[in-house]
Amino acid sequence: MTGRHFRDYHLLDEQAEQIFDMTDDIAERARKLGGATLRSIRDIVQHQRLKDNNGDQADAHRMLLELRADNLQLTGYLRAAHSLCDRHNDVATASLTENWIDQTERRTWFLSETING
């Protein structure tokens, strides 16, 4: 991302760190439940549901729109995971998922305000 608001948009790194931290929590929870975690870039690609944007340059507005759409989609995936946790009486994972839903909704709100501001 480039432009006069580069520094402001660079603050989106905080959102990236939040998502990265969430992936560690997910991996730890999967292992506690006896599951496997992602093992390689290829494994990530095979399981990923959000599409990458591999363009050389991203228009700032378009990038913010994509990030908001990705967070909305992630909220849906997290809500589905929460329902699955409820069906299996997995309260610990459901609790984590509730926090992740809140964080994702907050990111979506922040992005919406940035786009519309």
Side-chain angles (χ1 to χ4, degrees):
M1 190 178 289
T2 62
R4 66 178 191 190
H5 296 291
F6 174 78
R7 176 66 184 120
D8 296 331
Y9 294 147
H10 197 65
L11 295 174
L12 293 171
D13 285 346
E14 293 171 15
Q15 290 190 6
E17 289 174 21
Q18 190 178 60
I19 293 167
F20 184 76
D21 290 345
M22 189 169 67
T23 62
D24 189 49
D25 291 341
I26 291 168
E28 286 180 13
R29 189 69 193 142
R31 297 293 294 159
K32 285 178 188 176
L33 295 172
T37 59
L38 297 171
R39 295 170 298 283
S40 66
I41 299 297
R42 179 178 293 187
D43 200 24
I44 292 169
V45 169
Q46 290 175 341
H47 290 92
Q48 108 181 50
R49 293 187 267 176
L50 298 175
K51 295 187 184 217
D52 291 329
N53 178 342
N54 293 317
D56 291 337
Q57 288 283 334
D59 168 78
H61 186 72
R62 186 179 319 138
M63 180 181 266
L64 294 172
L65 289 170
E66 286 180 29
L67 288 171
R68 182 180 61 182
D70 288 349
N71 276 279
L72 286 168
Q73 194 173 359
L74 180 56
T75 300
Y77 295 145
L78 290 169
R79 289 184 183 283
H82 190 276
S83 294
L84 183 65
C85 292
D86 285 345
R87 285 196 303 274
H88 292 277
N89 199 29
D90 181 358
V91 295
T93 307
S95 178
L96 288 170
T97 305
E98 289 166 1
N99 291 327
W100 299 330
I101 289 168
D102 183 55
Q103 291 172 3
T104 305
E105 288 175 340
R106 185 175 301 228
R107 285 191 304 270
T108 302
W109 168 67
F110 176 88
L111 291 162
S112 294
E113 290 298 316
T114 303
I115 291 165
N116 298 324

